[in-house]
């Protein structure tokens, strides 16, 4: 039987109907209810039926959106395991000190944010009092991703429990003196407190999911049992606009990550206004998370609303709450009771009648302050539900009022994100509202005082006892003294010293081969974490699949299509490779979790993340800064690098600038190795510095960025005595004479500096200069332009202190005859970093501008970086010095067709 009410075909039309009459009866029943009791009753019955079906385990699609009410009814809320009154007093002190700290700081012009923590205070306090496991218990404790703008409240709590002093609070956002507090969660600036940088919005939720996933990875591989660790990510509803915020939701659901909970503070406001002015952000987020497979818990209304819902016998109140857009609801919070009666309850007769039963005081309480996120019992119930849910992640949507308890001048105002201070009178009103024993006499010269009940007060004892029971202070970052990892056997590195003979080998392949050998090391091999975004075969890593396995929590539930091949696609529950699919952002989040496991879990892991160099710093540079802030360690490898080396791929694949971007990150040690033995030397040094015996004063909290190429070239043998130069960034690879090139002693001289694949163009130019123009040139390998510059800058800084230091690059090139011509496969800005410290005449060649599709030779000629271009540039410099005839330059241009 066909349903006449449908105008579009349905997927159900494709399923056999074994009993059309029964189907028709169900449809007729629905029609009857709709006609007799109205569409709202019919919709209610349908939702309850679907809920029943879901509870019975029937395979039906889930509802993506539920009513605009709490997921947990008041009658089903568990009893709060603690002293509510005591926790309210603690929260009041923390609210006060957070506001006082920012207000006092505003007088120094450093700013700060008050309204976010004011709205979210109970979301944090309930967690600290009852849920967040510390690091002094068993395991690693919980991982807390604190919303960046809420940092004043976290500092206030640390002040209350004695971890911070008034001097610290008075130096909020004033770090230069060494006793200050950073504006937001910055581990590099406050490494004993903060674990995870979050204020670059969107990176916190993304990283939280991959941190939870990496916890499972470590457990599955037998590195450390983290089954008791839970990841909590505190987010703003406005932050969910960032694409990174929702980029990994399906991953969390797909892999059943019930060890992660998102707590989204839905105060309905962005930085400048409503999050969804004409819509409802809570309902939108619910649908998005449910659609992605998450468990959703809504905590929207406080207990004052219970009476209203009990009186709502027709469902009119719930319907009205669902239809009112967020911006209008914000307006209700700021208007008088007459406005609310008219514009909210006046929408339909049933609501008019309901409002007659409510006092003005009750209406104002409900609409101005009573929110699920402002009551410890509501938040406690939501957290308990999140932890009880198994098999997948949970998101808690907690509705709050931005600026709650700060007074009418702050609450729900569009501008409250930019409002940095309260007046003395506003503080006194806040004091009275919170019931704090702070006398008027404490306000000296208009300065708001900090408040503290005393180190031995009941509040502080309660706070500390609760934290002790949960495993110590939180948030906290702990870096136990870890034994250095044993250095791998020299054999793995030394195998590159003899070169490849006549066999061409790309440096990408050389790096992969080196890592293969290092992963076989009995002591440290299991510590390596290979990360790749669905390009393993491009980089020649497929041979690692069967030996290491690709991590999957389900293992391999299918027979791979290439099972009969030697290098088949193997997934395993204890797999070592993280093959993330096409997501550089997810791969970077993996890298950050692995690179900081030494602090988060007390386990040193050695991640290497290999990617198309164009899709690293350019695409995920913000995460590289997050990595630096979080004090991560490991190897980032920009493969198929260079603007002219990746043939045919074109503009958006041709990387001519990643070393320039990497140079801006102080924690990134950037290298552009030319030869396989250079790669081996850099990796060996990186393992020593980050994981082994660091030298006195040497910062271990760095990461390495290596660019490697896909152009197969013969790999030369390693010259004697070049190790220091490789690490410092420059060494003389050969002279014309050592290369077997005949050139007279009186010939003009030049110095050719090349990095990465460009050294091969320099070597060709060296021979052409000698054989065709009678010029003797030395060729230098510039393994790191950036490290040369940093060393030179340190020498300049030392000079300001009265210390005489000559930069390494100056010393290395000192006395080298002739001009210097520098070349790389990147924009000229990359080698030009060191120009001011080179005493010789300087010129550089580079691939500036957009990339293009063509052969390597054609692209190099187009950008003017090929051997012929190097020859002409060198002759031009020598002509300026009068060492070759001026006509030689024009003659060379004509000969080479430049």
């Amino acid at each position: 039987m066909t349903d006449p009410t449908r105008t579009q075909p349905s997927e159900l039309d494709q399923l056999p109907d074994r009993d059309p009459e029964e189907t028709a009866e169900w449809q007729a029943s629905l029609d009857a209810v709709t006609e007799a009791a109205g569409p709202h009753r019919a919709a209610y019955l349908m939702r309850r039926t679907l809920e029943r079906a879901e509870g019975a385990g029937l395979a039906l699609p889930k509802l993506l959106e539920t009513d605009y009410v709490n997921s947990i009814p008041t009658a089903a809320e568990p009893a709060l395991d603690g002293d509510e009154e005591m926790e309210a007093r603690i929260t009041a002190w923390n609210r006060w000190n957070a506001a006082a700290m920012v207000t006092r700081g505003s007088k120094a012009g450093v700013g700060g944010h008050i309204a976010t923590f004011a709205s979210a205070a109970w979301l944090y306090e309930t967690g600290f009092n009852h849920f967040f496991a510390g690091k002094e218990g068993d395991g690693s404790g919980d991982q807390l991703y604190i919303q960046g703008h809420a940092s004043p409240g976290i500092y206030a709590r640390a002040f209350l429990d004695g971890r911070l002093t008034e001097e610290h609070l008075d130096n909020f956002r004033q770090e230069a003196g060494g006793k200050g507090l950073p504006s937001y969660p910055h581990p590099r600036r406050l490494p004993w407190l903060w674990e995870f940088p979050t204020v670059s919005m969107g990176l916190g939720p993304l990283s939280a999911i991959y941190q939870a996933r990496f916890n499972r990875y470590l457990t599955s591989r037998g590195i450390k049992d983290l089954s008791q660790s839970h990841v909590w990510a505190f987010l703003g509803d406005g932050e969910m606009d960032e694409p990174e915020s929702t980029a990994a939701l399906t991953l969390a659901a797909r892999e059943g990550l019930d060890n992660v909970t998102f707590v989204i503070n839905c105060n309905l406001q962005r930085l400048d206004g409503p999050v969804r002015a004409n819509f409802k952000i809570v309902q939108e987020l619910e649908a998005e998370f449910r659609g992605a497979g998450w468990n959703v818990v809504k905590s929207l209304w406080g207990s004052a609303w219970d009476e209203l819902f009990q009186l709502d016998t027709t469902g009119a109140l719930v319907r009205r709450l669902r239809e009112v857009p967020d911006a209008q609801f914000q307006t209700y919070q700021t208007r008088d009771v007459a406005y609310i009666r008219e514009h909210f309850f006046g929408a339909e007769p049933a609501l008019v009648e309901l409002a007659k039963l409510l006092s003005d005081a009750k209406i104002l309480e409900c609409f101005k302050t009573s929110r699920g996120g402002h009551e410890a019992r509501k938040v406690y119930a939501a957290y308990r539900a999140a932890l009880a849910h198994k098999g997948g992640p949970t998101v808690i949507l907690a509705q709050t009022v931005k600026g709650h308890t700060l007074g009418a001048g702050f609450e729900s105002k569009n501008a409250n994100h930019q409002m940095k201070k309260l007046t003395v009178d506003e503080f006194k009103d806040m004091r009275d509202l919170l019931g704090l024993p702070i006398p008027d006499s404490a306000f000296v010269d208009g300065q708001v005082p900090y408040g503290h009940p005393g180190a031995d007060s009941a509040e502080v004892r309660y706070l500390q006892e609760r934290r002790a029971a949960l495993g110590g202070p939180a948030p906290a970052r702990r870096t136990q003294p870890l034994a250095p990892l044993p250095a791998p056997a020299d054999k793995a590195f030394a195998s590159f010293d003899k070169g490849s003979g006549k066999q061409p080998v790309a440096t990408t392949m050389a790096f992969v081969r080196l890592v293969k050998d290092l992963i076989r090391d009995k002591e440290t091999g299991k510590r390596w974490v290979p990360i790749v975004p669905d390009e393993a075969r491009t980089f020649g890593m497929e041979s690692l699949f069967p030996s290491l396995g690709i991590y999957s929590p389900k293992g391999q539930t299918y027979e791979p299509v290439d099972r009969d091949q030697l290098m088949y696609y193997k997934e395993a529950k204890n797999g070592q490779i993280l093959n993330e699919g096409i997501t550089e952002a997810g791969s970077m989040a993996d890298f950050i979790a692995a690179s900081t496991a030494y602090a988060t879990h007390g386990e040193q892991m050695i991640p290497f993340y290999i990617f198309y160099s164009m899709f690293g710093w350019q695409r995920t540079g913000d995460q590289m800064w997050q990595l630096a802030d979080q004090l991560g360690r490991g190897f980032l490898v920009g493969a198929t690098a260079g603007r002219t080396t990746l043939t045919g791929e074109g503009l958006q694949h041709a990387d001519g600038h990643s070393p320039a971007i990497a140079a801006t990150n102080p924690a990134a040690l950037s290298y552009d190795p030319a030869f396989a033995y250079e790669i081996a030397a850099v990796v060996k040094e990186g393992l020593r510095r980050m994981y082994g015996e660091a030298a006195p004063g040497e910062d271990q909290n760095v990461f390495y960025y290596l660019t490697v190429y896909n152009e197969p070239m013969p790999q030369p043998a390693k010259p004697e005595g070049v190790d220091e130069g490789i690490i410092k960034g420059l060494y003389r690879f050969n002279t014309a004479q050592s290369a077997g090139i005949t050139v007279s002693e009186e010939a003009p001289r030049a110095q050719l500096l090349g990095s990465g694949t460009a050294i091969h163009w320099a070597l060709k130019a060296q021979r052409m200069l000698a054989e065709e123009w009678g010029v003797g040139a030395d060729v230098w390998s510039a393994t790191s332009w950036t490290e040369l510059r940093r060393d030179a800058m340190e020498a300049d800084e030392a000079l300001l202190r009265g210390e005489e230091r000559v930069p390494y690059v100056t010393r290395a090139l000192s006395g080298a005859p002739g001009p210097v011509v520098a070349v790389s496969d990147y924009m000229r800005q990359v080698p030009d970093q060191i120009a001011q410290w080179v005493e010789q005449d300087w010129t550089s060649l580079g691939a500036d501008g957009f990339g293009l599709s063509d052969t390597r030779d054609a692209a190099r000629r187009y950008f003017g970086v090929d051997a012929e271009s190097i020859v002409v540039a060198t002759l031009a410099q020598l002509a300026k010095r009068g060492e070759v005839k001026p006509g030689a330059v024009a003659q060379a241009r004509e000969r080479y067709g430049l």
Side-chain angles (χ1 to χ4, degrees):
M1 179 181 292
T2 303
D3 182 356
T5 65
R6 285 197 291 110
T7 60
Q8 296 291 332
S10 165
E11 70 276 5
L12 293 178
D13 293 336
Q14 302 178 65
L15 303 178
D17 189 345
R18 296 187 304 173
D19 194 338
E21 290 187 11
E22 181 182 37
T23 303
E25 289 174 4
W26 277 73
Q27 292 171 334
S29 297
L30 179 63
D31 293 342
V33 171
T34 303
E35 183 176 352
H40 300 303
R41 177 61 180 169
Y44 175 82
L45 290 176
M46 287 300 300
R47 289 199 300 272
R48 295 310 296 261
T49 302
L50 286 171
E51 287 176 3
R52 184 62 172 261
E54 183 179 342
L58 300 183
L60 287 173
K62 293 183 179 180
L63 288 172
L64 293 184
E65 189 179 314
T66 62
D67 283 325
Y68 202 60
V69 295
N70 294 347
S71 301
I72 305 169
T74 300
E77 292 171 4
L80 190 146
D81 181 22
D83 186 333
E84 277 191 79
E85 182 181 347
M86 180 66 72
E87 292 176 20
R89 295 208 301 270
I90 291 170
T91 303
W93 286 114
N94 292 338
R95 287 182 181 279
W96 176 273
N97 287 321
M101 174 174 55
V102 175
T103 297
R104 289 165 68 119
S106 293
K107 292 188 176 182
V110 296
H113 302 287
I114 305 177
T116 295
F117 178 73
S119 68
W122 276 114
L123 303 180
Y124 292 105
E125 293 297 322
T126 304
F128 286 128
N129 288 328
H130 300 281
F131 294 96
F132 303 157
K135 294 184 174 297
E136 295 174 3
D138 295 334
S140 298
D142 289 350
Q143 287 80 58
L144 308 180
Y145 287 77
I146 305 293
Q147 192 179 0
H149 292 138
S151 60
I154 309 304
Y155 290 140
R157 195 170 216 274
F159 170 65
L160 198 65
D161 74 5
R163 293 200 290 165
L164 292 175
T165 66
E166 285 194 15
E167 184 179 16
H168 285 116
L169 300 192
D170 264 345
N171 283 286
F172 173 61
R173 291 191 167 200
Q174 299 175 71
E175 301 177 76
K179 296 182 180 179
L181 298 177
S183 52
Y184 304 123
H186 293 303
R188 187 168 283 274
R189 291 301 185 197
L190 200 63
W192 60 267
L193 182 73
W194 298 119
E195 277 197 285
F196 307 108
T198 54
V199 82
S200 188
M201 292 189 183
L203 300 190
L206 178 69
S207 294
I209 289 174
Y210 279 90
Q211 181 66 58
R213 199 284 199 90
F214 191 71
N215 290 355
R216 290 281 172 86
Y217 170 89
L218 289 178
T219 301
S220 298
R221 291 195 52 219
I223 302 293
K224 186 172 186 177
D225 182 2
L226 298 171
S227 56
Q228 300 305 307
S229 285
H230 200 83
V231 178
W232 300 83
F234 290 85
L235 317 168
D237 48 358
E239 181 176 6
M240 301 311 293
D241 289 345
E242 292 284 4
E244 294 89 349
S245 295
T246 54
L249 297 188
T250 54
L251 168 71
R254 184 169 66 247
E255 299 203 358
L257 298 181
D258 51 22
N259 61 337
V260 62
T261 296
F262 278 14
V263 182
I264 303 181
N265 177 19
C266 297
N267 58 35
L268 313 186
Q269 287 185 244
R270 287 198 192 105
L271 308 189
D272 290 329
V275 178
R276 293 290 183 273
N278 297 297
F279 306 93
K280 300 189 79 63
I281 185 60
V282 169
Q283 300 300 86
E284 179 181 318
L285 291 175
E286 178 183 27
E288 189 166 13
F289 277 87
R290 283 186 182 275
W294 286 53
N295 175 46
V296 178
V297 178
K298 293 196 288 191
S299 182
L300 308 181
W301 309 112
S303 55
W305 283 84
D306 290 347
E307 179 183 347
L308 277 69
F309 290 125
Q310 289 169 4
L311 294 172
D312 181 30
T313 57
T314 66
L317 175 63
V318 173
R319 290 196 299 274
R320 182 67 175 141
L321 289 173
R322 188 168 61 237
E323 71 186 21
V324 173
D326 286 350
Q328 183 61 47
F329 205 88
Q330 296 294 80
T331 300
Y332 294 147
Q333 292 174 211
T334 63
R335 298 300 178 88
D336 59 23
V337 69
Y339 182 93
I340 298 172
R341 284 186 182 275
E342 178 184 355
H343 291 87
F344 182 83
F345 290 101
E348 63 174 281
L351 289 176
V352 173
E353 294 302 313
L354 187 153
K356 291 177 181 178
L357 305 174
L358 302 173
S359 67
D360 288 352
K362 170 61 72 173
I363 290 176
L364 289 175
E365 180 185 9
C366 288
F367 279 81
K368 290 184 179 292
T369 62
S370 185
R371 301 290 182 272
H374 292 328
E375 294 186 14
R377 283 177 175 265
K378 303 291 185 186
V379 177
Y380 183 88
Y383 287 6
R384 280 276 172 239
L387 294 180
H389 181 76
K390 300 302 177 185
T394 293
V395 59
I396 296 169
L397 304 176
Q399 188 159 272
T400 67
V401 175
K402 193 166 185 178
H404 182 55
T405 73
L406 297 179
F410 262 84
E411 293 178 345
S412 297
K413 293 294 192 294
N414 281 341
N416 61 18
H417 184 76
Q418 301 302 326
M419 297 162 70
K420 313 296 185 186
K421 57 188 176 182
L422 280 69
T423 65
V424 168
D425 287 341
E426 287 172 329
F427 265 110
K428 290 179 179 178
D429 290 342
M430 181 183 176
R431 171 200 63 189
D432 297 340
L433 175 67
L434 298 175
L436 293 172
I438 300 173
D440 286 352
S441 59
F443 293 82
V444 179
D445 297 328
Q447 180 80 294
V448 57
Y450 295 120
H452 200 292
D456 196 38
S457 64
E459 291 93 333
V460 173
R461 288 200 306 273
Y462 181 89
L463 182 155
Q464 293 176 341
E465 287 168 2
R466 299 300 301 186
R467 288 312 314 159
L470 286 166
R477 182 176 182 272
R478 296 284 186 268
T479 50
Q480 313 97 311
L482 298 175
L485 292 182
D490 273 343
K491 181 180 178 182
F493 305 104
S495 64
F496 294 91
D497 290 355
K498 60 185 178 183
S500 64
K502 295 182 179 180
Q503 180 184 2
V505 177
T507 53
T508 296
M509 296 300 103
F511 175 81
V512 170
R513 179 188 145 193
L514 172 64
V515 171
K516 286 180 186 176
D517 291 342
L518 293 174
I519 289 177
R520 295 191 187 103
D521 185 83
K522 292 182 180 179
E523 295 288 335
T524 60
K526 69 177 183 179
R527 300 275 171 188
W528 285 85
V529 183
I531 302 167
V532 61
D534 199 39
E535 288 281 3
R537 296 182 192 278
T538 300
F539 307 135
M541 292 174 60
E542 66 270 28
S543 62
L544 297 177
F545 290 169
S547 58
L548 301 182
I550 298 164
Y551 170 73
S552 169
K554 289 184 176 294
Q556 194 154 37
T557 61
Y558 61 92
E559 183 178 359
V561 67
D562 54 358
R563 183 62 182 87
D564 57 345
Q565 297 178 14
L566 180 63
M567 293 183 286
Y568 69 96
Y569 195 85
K570 176 186 175 184
E571 298 187 79
K573 291 182 179 179
N574 64 345
Q576 193 165 350
I577 301 170
L578 292 174
N579 191 353
E580 288 303 354
I582 305 174
T583 168
E584 289 85 5
S587 299
M588 266 306 301
D590 269 336
F591 186 88
I592 291 170
S595 70
T596 54
Y598 73 93
T600 309
H601 299 306
E603 296 288 344
Q604 297 207 72
M605 306 302 290
I606 312 172
F608 79 87
Y609 165 35
I610 187 167
F611 49 88
Y612 265 75
S613 65
M614 187 65 160
F615 307 139
W617 287 89
Q618 174 171 299
R619 177 167 288 190
T620 57
D622 196 10
Q623 287 178 286
M624 273 80 163
W625 279 93
Q626 180 189 12
L627 167 66
D629 194 349
Q630 203 167 318
L631 309 173
R633 306 168 183 172
F635 297 96
L636 296 176
V637 184
T640 58
R643 182 149 281 163
T644 71
T645 304
L646 187 58
T647 57
E649 292 287 352
L651 187 150
Q652 285 190 273
H653 283 67
D655 170 25
H657 51 278
S658 69
I661 304 175
T664 66
N665 191 307
L669 277 60
S670 178
Y671 285 86
D672 185 26
F675 305 124
Y677 66 77
E678 293 178 352
I679 292 172
V682 171
V683 171
K684 181 178 181 180
E685 169 65 8
L687 291 173
R688 180 205 65 78
R689 177 166 178 174
M690 295 184 291
Y691 303 98
E693 295 282 0
E698 192 172 44
D699 185 6
Q700 284 189 284
N701 299 316
V702 296
F703 59 93
Y704 283 69
Y705 175 56
L706 281 72
T707 46
V708 293
Y709 300 83
N710 74 331
E711 184 174 14
M713 300 294 287
Q715 296 297 323
K718 181 180 179 180
E720 292 290 333
V722 299
D723 289 280
E724 179 187 23
I726 292 173
I727 303 307
K728 286 188 175 294
L730 182 69
Y731 67 94
R732 193 191 325 252
F733 174 71
N734 71 11
T735 63
Q737 290 81 359
S738 66
I741 302 171
T742 302
V743 65
S744 72
E745 292 291 334
E746 292 77 25
R749 300 291 303 279
Q751 309 299 317
L752 307 183
L753 277 58
S755 67
T757 195
I759 198 135
H760 299 287
W761 322 331
L763 289 169
K764 182 179 177 182
Q766 177 190 46
R767 187 167 295 277
M768 292 171 66
L769 282 165
E771 295 176 352
E772 300 179 28
W773 305 98
V775 174
D778 300 342
V779 174
W780 300 69
S781 180
T783 54
S784 178
W785 308 102
T786 302
E787 287 306 294
L788 291 173
R789 176 178 176 80
R790 288 175 177 170
D791 171 80
M793 291 174 66
E794 288 174 7
D796 288 353
E797 291 169 7
L799 188 62
L800 291 175
R801 299 190 300 267
E803 303 171 19
E804 289 290 339
R805 263 191 55 190
V806 179
Y808 173 81
V809 64
T810 307
R811 286 188 282 117
L813 289 169
S814 179
V820 167
V821 178
V823 61
S824 77
D825 206 7
Y826 302 95
M827 56 198 301
R828 291 175 61 184
Q829 179 180 330
V830 174
D832 283 349
Q833 293 180 85
I834 65 170
Q836 72 186 81
W837 294 281
V838 174
E839 62 186 27
Q840 290 87 351
D841 294 332
W842 172 273
T843 193
S844 64
L845 302 176
D848 287 78
F850 290 111
L852 77 166
S853 301
D854 215 312
T855 65
R856 289 179 178 130
D857 289 343
R860 286 161 188 169
R861 174 55 56 90
Y862 174 85
F863 285 110
V865 293
D866 57 359
E868 290 80 1
S869 298
I870 296 172
V871 170
V872 171
T874 304
L875 293 175
Q877 286 296 312
L878 290 170
K880 284 183 182 179
R881 298 158 60 97
E883 297 182 23
V884 299
K885 295 178 180 179
V889 180
Q891 185 182 352
R893 286 198 196 101
E894 183 177 357
R895 180 182 298 182
Y896 303 135
L898 295 179

